[in-house]
Amino acid sequence: MKFFTDSVARCAARIGTLNGFERLPNVSFETPLLLIYTKGGSVPHLTKDIFKNVTMEEQLLSVSLSSTILMKDVIKELDTSFADFVSMKEYINLLSIHDPAYTTNSGFQQLDSISVWSRTGRTVVSASKYMELVQAYKPDLYVALCDGDTNVNSSAKRVSKAVRRSKTLLEQCLDIHLRSDALKSKGILGPVEGGYNLQAREESIDYLKDKPLAGFVIDGLHNNGPSVQNISSEQIKQVVRHTINLLPTDKIRVSMGCWNPATVLDLIELGVDVFDSSYPYVITEQSQALTFMCEHDTAENNQYAMSIAEKRYADDFSPICKTCECLACQNHSRAYIHHLHHTKEMLGLVLLMIHNIHHYLQFFSVIRDSIKNGTFNQFQAKIRLKYATTNSESTTV
């Protein structure tokens, strides 16, 4: 895997190109990039055919170990790749550790292993066990095993342990990676740990920066889950800026979690390249439709999302967004989706997911265009206004 960028600034919004994947050598992505969030390798609420109706463009799927670990034995027995097993072989995939849409249980870490939580409970994963899974899954890109169990309230002792354990786990993962014929052409990402402690971040980066890594994951800022959308930019800016200023400019920088769009823009302004789409999934699960990119309704111009469950939409026969070209907006009304929600029809979540994924993909397309044409700051200011209330209320996680 290769990453190219013309930007020489360490801490600034930048356009880059991600390509050189061994399995699909003609696939290329432009950054800032949105990873498509999956559960068990599938986009939640959507069949593969419906997802292709949402977007025909090449996509990079985000696959978490916690949502797929129960598949490991079958994948090994069939001697097939994860992409083939879930019938998503035409998509590039990135394997991460925890599911960003669900709060990760804190604690339970051991000296040379971490705990991964699936729907059946806890699994203890060592570096050797993890790399065995990676060799079975054959992802195009994956995150090294790490201890990211820190947040703004973590003690200095907990942060120090997270950094030391992550260094040990990365060393073990990288050793197996470099000796494996099946993996040496795959991309491995190094997690930067340290919580909100700047000195601990420096210690983590000092170890990582000269390693043969495809990029870095800025980890340890939260414990995943819906509450991440309420973390204010001001809370994380100093840490992220300090971290990125110490990282090489020629490697991708990834930030997982359901950050709200205003915070995503602030992180892009600091130089983060890749995010995941757990945010539109979380919004869908809350029976909301994203509207922060809609400009057609002045009465709702400052609204970032609408709760489709509200009574006012029972007789509203307009689409979610009049200018939206998604399948849901082109064929269905707010009233119909409101009805589906209250009758608990599965189609309600399907239509919301179609709209929210489309909306978020359009968001990233506009981000890239705004960086290219020099209007990023204006676009950022406009979106920030719609999330002013959310960003002013910092939530501790």
Side-chain angles (χ1 to χ4, degrees):
M1 190 210 78
K2 300 175 182 177
F3 176 71
F4 303 95
T5 180
D6 292 331
S7 174
V8 294
R10 284 190 178 274
C11 207
R14 61 184 191 169
I15 294 291
T17 303
L18 193 61
N19 57 24
F21 299 99
E22 180 190 44
R23 188 169 60 85
L24 297 172
N26 295 324
V27 170
S28 180
F29 302 103
E30 196 171 46
T31 64
L33 173 67
L34 180 68
L35 305 175
I36 300 298
Y37 168 80
T38 69
K39 290 175 68 176
S42 299
V43 181
H45 303 303
L46 305 184
T47 64
K48 182 178 177 179
D49 289 340
I50 292 297
F51 178 59
K52 285 189 173 181
N53 281 326
V54 175
T55 174
M56 292 294 291
E57 296 178 356
E58 296 164 342
Q59 300 296 334
L60 203 163
L61 306 184
S62 170
V63 177
S64 67
L65 180 62
S66 57
S67 73
T68 62
I69 195 167
L70 298 180
M71 304 177 184
K72 66 182 189 304
D73 292 335
V74 179
I75 292 174
K76 288 179 182 178
E77 185 177 340
L78 293 175
D79 192 23
T80 186
S81 70
F82 177 81
D84 280 317
F85 181 69
V86 298
S87 191
M88 296 293 257
K89 61 184 178 182
E90 62 267 56
Y91 296 104
I92 296 295
N93 59 83
L94 180 153
L95 178 66
S96 61
I97 312 301
H98 302 292
D99 189 327
Y102 296 90
T103 303
T104 304
N105 291 321
S106 191
F108 301 96
Q109 316 301 347
Q110 298 178 15
L111 181 64
D112 58 354
S113 64
I114 67 162
S115 293
V116 173
W117 298 84
S118 68
R119 57 184 173 82
T120 60
R122 181 168 71 106
T123 302
V124 176
V125 181
S126 64
S128 59
K129 183 174 181 179
Y130 177 62
M131 292 306 290
E132 184 181 333
L133 287 167
V134 171
Q135 292 183 80
Y137 282 21
K138 303 177 183 67
D140 302 289
L141 190 62
Y142 69 97
V143 180
L145 197 64
C146 58
D147 177 4
D149 183 18
T150 54
N151 56 50
V152 68
N153 293 320
S154 296
S155 66
K157 183 178 181 180
R158 170 85 278 271
V159 168
S160 179
K161 284 184 176 180
V163 171
R164 290 200 306 271
R165 181 175 292 117
S166 296
K167 286 169 61 178
T168 300
L169 292 172
L170 177 110
E171 187 175 80
Q172 294 171 353
C173 288
L174 197 56
D175 179 60
I176 296 170
H177 176 93
L178 295 174
R179 289 189 288 105
S180 170
D181 290 335
L183 294 179
K184 61 185 179 183
S185 60
K186 309 293 184 183
I188 179 171
L189 300 176
V192 180
E193 303 297 347
Y196 288 73
N197 185 309
L198 302 186
Q199 185 175 348
R201 290 269 164 189
E202 290 178 17
E203 181 184 345
S204 181
I205 293 169
D206 282 344
Y207 180 78
L208 292 171
K209 63 184 179 182
D210 295 323
K211 296 291 185 292
L213 302 169
F216 305 92
V217 179
I218 302 173
D219 199 30
L221 295 172
H222 55 74
N223 292 101
N224 300 306
S227 61
V228 174
Q229 67 185 300
N230 298 322
I231 298 176
S232 72
S233 298
E234 295 307 314
Q235 181 175 306
I236 60 173
K237 266 187 176 181
Q238 182 186 12
V239 176
V240 175
R241 182 183 292 111
H242 186 77
T243 300
I244 289 179
N245 275 325
L246 296 173
L247 292 174
T249 58
D250 61 343
K251 302 287 181 68
I252 59 168
R253 305 141 178 180
V254 181
S255 180
M256 307 293 283
C258 56
W259 306 109
N260 72 61
T263 302
V264 166
L265 289 169
D266 288 340
L267 290 172
I268 288 173
E269 183 182 32
L270 293 174
V272 178
D273 303 300
V274 181
F275 302 82
D276 69 86
S277 67
S278 55
Y279 176 75
Y281 167 69
V282 167
I283 289 292
T284 298
E285 291 296 290
Q286 296 170 348
S287 297
Q288 296 189 79
L290 292 172
T291 58
F292 68 90
M293 293 285 288
C294 299
E295 302 293 341
H296 63 273
D297 192 338
T298 55
E300 295 177 354
N301 192 44
N302 291 325
Q303 191 177 18
Y304 68 85
M306 64 170 65
S307 176
I308 208 68
E310 293 180 15
K311 289 183 179 180
R312 58 176 165 158
Y313 300 121
D315 298 312
D316 187 342
F317 295 98
S318 61
I320 296 168
C321 288
K322 292 177 182 176
T323 57
C324 181
E325 297 180 354
C326 80
L327 184 67
C329 289
Q330 290 295 305
N331 295 280
H332 304 289
S333 67
R334 298 174 179 182
Y336 180 59
I337 302 174
H338 171 87
H339 162 74
L340 293 173
H341 168 78
H342 283 284
T343 56
K344 298 185 177 3
E345 288 283 351
M346 292 174 61
L347 182 58
L349 290 175
V350 171
L351 293 177
L352 286 175
M353 193 67 179
I354 288 171
H355 170 76
N356 289 338
I357 286 289
H358 174 87
H359 199 83
Y360 222 60
L361 285 169
Q362 289 299 110
F363 173 52
F364 270 76
S365 178
V366 173
I367 290 172
R368 291 188 290 269
D369 289 342
S370 70
I371 295 173
K372 293 173 187 176
N373 60 33
T375 61
F376 177 79
N377 290 338
Q378 295 94 308
F379 178 65
Q380 181 183 29
K382 182 167 67 174
I383 299 301
R384 188 179 284 158
L385 282 175
K386 299 188 181 185
Y387 280 85
T389 302
T390 301
N391 261 350
S392 66
E393 298 174 357
S394 175
T395 297
T396 300
V397 295

